[in-house]
Amino acid sequence: MSDTTVMDKLVSLTKRRGYIFQSSEIYGGAGSVWDYGPLGAELKRNVKDLWWSRMVHQREDIEGLDAAILMHPKVWEASGHVEGFTDPLVECTNCHRRFRADLEGVEAGQCPVCGTKDAFTEPRNFNLMFRTFMGPVEDAGAQVYLRPETAQGIYVNFLNVQGTARQKVPFGIAQIGKAFRNEITPGNFIFRTREFEQAEMQYFVKPGTDEEWFEFWKADRMEWHRSLGIREENLRFHEHGPDELAHYAKKAFDIEYRFPFGWKEFEGIHNRTDFDLARHQEYSGKRLEYIDPGGGERFIPYVVETSLGVDRVLLVLLADAYREEEVEGEERVVLALHPRLAPVKAAVFPLVKKEGLPEMARKLQEGLRRASIPSFYDESGSIGRRYRRQDEAGTPWCVTVDGQSAEDGSVTIRDRDTLEQIRVAMDQVAPWIRERLVDSE
Ligand code: ATP
């Protein structure tokens, strides 16, 4: 299977099964913006819930935050984004398309769209922040930005959170939210888009302990990705060399995944030093120091950041879970998503549409609904077709009500990955699933 085929197949499967749709499709689509359908919305929510649970609920030293997208414009001057958040841009003088100057192919002087050679303009810096206006007057004084990262909302609230939650350094603040970047060359499905979501955590530490904490978070984040079932051989670290380091970073590692289009970053671990807090202190004129309750020592903490792209990790999970297999002489496509991530946990089928089986199956599904287990009822088509639909959607368990169910109250549960079938009492299906979801945590 060629790499483009895998991506094409993923795009069409995710559309067919209601994971991801192109934004404003009926108008021909909006450039590189995507909408999550019923299954995609569940998958995204599951990823965010697992991240939040690991980062916030399971730790004493991390607090949650939900800061606004629009912020005071000075924030972006202090952060360096007004001045430095740019990509070099070139334009092809033949077809007038614009590209990132560092894009493969463009670097060599050939236009990836029309193929013309050496027809690019000189590179010009292009700011990636989206601009808009606050209030009715559209002048420079009313200009604001859509945040290009969620981190700044955390820095400006550092003392609010520390004081109200009574945290002591070291401690962290976690946030999930939308970010916007006017990318010059978006693409590769949901890999690089102009509107996306980030799950970021800023960990505030005493200067001098930052390197230790950097190592801790680097290992912890990689371990989390493994726990989601992402295959080891498709994960690796990439350390930023001096020419790759962002203006704020002392050290940075990317966690990379082997996408069908090559090894690429989907999470960054950054040692941002005291750059951001010191700059906000300077630009706002407000002290952003931490006072140690022990000795009264004052200092501006260093920050270790973990920055995950939610949409990008979704692409990682979908690409990693996509399998084409042969089962009993027939081909099947399966999304082997971790059960905790799977949008639908169980599909419920009556074997045939008669003998009261649909009624029993619906009753069973009603029980799953009451237990808050996302489920799906399907009575159309052969049982084989119904299994295949669920395999493609990533549903880990299919529960079938058959003739024996009427006699002894048992049903079969078929496992998506092993294809094993076992019989379980109907009233035990919900606890059986619950148990497996907890065990797989
Ligand atoms: P890239 O080099 O791919 O542009 P970056 O180094 O600018 O990424 P960061 O600023 O470190 O990325 O952002 C942290 C995370 O946010 C990335 O690892 C990625 O998962 C996500 N992210 C950044 N830009 C985008 C985008 N345009 N679309 C989707 N996710 C993004």
Side-chain angles (χ1 to χ4, degrees), residues 181 183 191-193 196 198 265-266 270 307 309 312:
R181 295 182 188 180
E183 299 278 3
F191 178 81
R192 188 182 302 286
T193 54
F196 55 97
Q198 289 185 315
E265 159 188 2
F266 68 103
H270 309 128
S307 176
R312 254 188 220 181

Side-chain angles (χ1 to χ4, degrees), residues 85 87 100 128 148-149 180-181 183 186 190-200 240 248 254-255 264-270 272 305-313:
F85 194 56
D87 272 344
R100 260 166 81 152
L128 300 181
E149 61 175 26
F180 302 82
R181 295 182 188 180
E183 299 278 3
I190 53 171
F191 178 81
R192 188 182 302 286
T193 54
R194 296 194 169 109
E195 171 177 346
F196 55 97
E197 224 167 341
Q198 289 185 315
E200 295 196 307
H240 283 208
Y248 52 74
D254 293 337
I255 300 181
K264 299 268 186 245
E265 159 188 2
F266 68 103
E267 173 154 22
I269 325 292
H270 309 128
R272 293 180 73 133
E305 166 186 70
T306 69
S307 176
L308 174 72
V310 176
D311 313 77
R312 254 188 220 181
V313 76

Side-chain angles (χ1 to χ4, degrees), residues 91-355:
E91 185 174 321
C92 170
T93 50
N94 181 47
C95 71
H96 299 288
R97 297 283 173 79
R98 291 169 179 184
F99 307 96
R100 260 166 81 152
D102 57 0
L103 199 71
E104 228 174 285
V106 174
E107 255 179 332
Q110 183 162 23
C111 174
V113 172
C114 70
T116 312
K117 279 199 175 144
D118 302 323
F120 289 122
T121 56
E122 281 301 305
R124 180 167 72 79
N125 275 340
F126 172 77
N127 196 296
L128 300 181
M129 280 197 292
F130 276 96
R131 267 170 286 194
T132 186
F133 299 94
M134 187 95 103
V137 185
E138 296 195 1
D139 65 12
Q143 187 176 286
V144 292
Y145 301 95
L146 301 187
R147 67 181 177 197
E149 61 175 26
T150 63
Q152 300 302 326
I154 294 182
Y155 300 136
V156 300
N157 278 299
F158 156 66
L159 284 184
N160 283 340
V161 174
Q162 187 265 322
T164 51
R166 288 194 271 139
Q167 283 284 358
K168 294 192 185 81
V169 163
F171 79 98
I173 304 177
Q175 165 163 245
I176 299 177
K178 291 268 188 175
F180 302 82
R181 295 182 188 180
N182 200 4
E183 299 278 3
I184 302 160
T185 322
N188 281 327
F189 196 22
I190 53 171
F191 178 81
R192 188 182 302 286
T193 54
R194 296 194 169 109
E195 171 177 346
F196 55 97
E197 224 167 341
Q198 289 185 315
E200 295 196 307
M201 193 280 297
Q202 313 294 319
Y203 202 73
F204 301 90
V205 307
K206 192 169 176 183
T209 64
D210 49 308
E211 287 178 21
E212 226 172 280
W213 279 110
F214 185 88
E215 292 308 317
F216 172 85
W217 283 111
K218 194 180 134 208
D220 192 77
R221 295 307 304 144
M222 186 59 112
E223 163 50 32
W224 188 70
H225 296 302
R226 289 197 197 104
S227 78
L228 300 182
I230 303 169
R231 284 173 285 186
E232 184 76 42
E233 67 268 27
N234 293 333
L235 289 168
R236 72 174 190 196
F237 284 115
H238 163 77
E239 180 169 12
H240 283 208
D243 54 330
E244 287 174 278
L245 278 178
H247 60 279
Y248 52 74
K250 169 175 160 189
K251 194 170 192 178
F253 271 74
D254 293 337
I255 300 181
E256 292 189 335
Y257 178 75
R258 196 206 315 240
F259 287 99
F261 43 89
W263 285 99
K264 299 268 186 245
E265 159 188 2
F266 68 103
E267 173 154 22
I269 325 292
H270 309 128
N271 183 340
R272 293 180 73 133
T273 68
D274 60 357
F275 176 85
D276 300 272
L277 289 179
R279 291 272 289 202
H280 284 305
Q281 175 163 291
E282 182 191 335
Y283 278 67
S284 68
K286 300 272 171 8
R287 283 201 148 180
L288 290 178
E289 287 168 334
Y290 170 77
I291 305 168
D292 185 16
E297 192 193 348
R298 289 168 171 270
F299 57 88
I300 296 184
Y302 267 38
V303 170
V304 175
E305 166 186 70
T306 69
S307 176
L308 174 72
V310 176
D311 313 77
R312 254 188 220 181
V313 76
L314 243 61
L315 185 58
V316 167
L317 293 164
L318 288 167
D320 208 67
Y322 184 87
R323 318 271 155 89
E324 287 176 4
E325 298 173 350
E326 212 184 274
V327 173
E328 289 150 11
E330 271 194 62
E331 213 181 76
R332 74 160 183 169
V333 170
V334 58
L335 272 188
L337 289 168
H338 190 292
R340 289 287 304 267
L341 293 170
V344 174
K345 310 301 179 196
V348 182
F349 309 148
L351 184 64
V352 288
K353 267 195 269 183
K354 53 187 182 196
E355 292 154 19

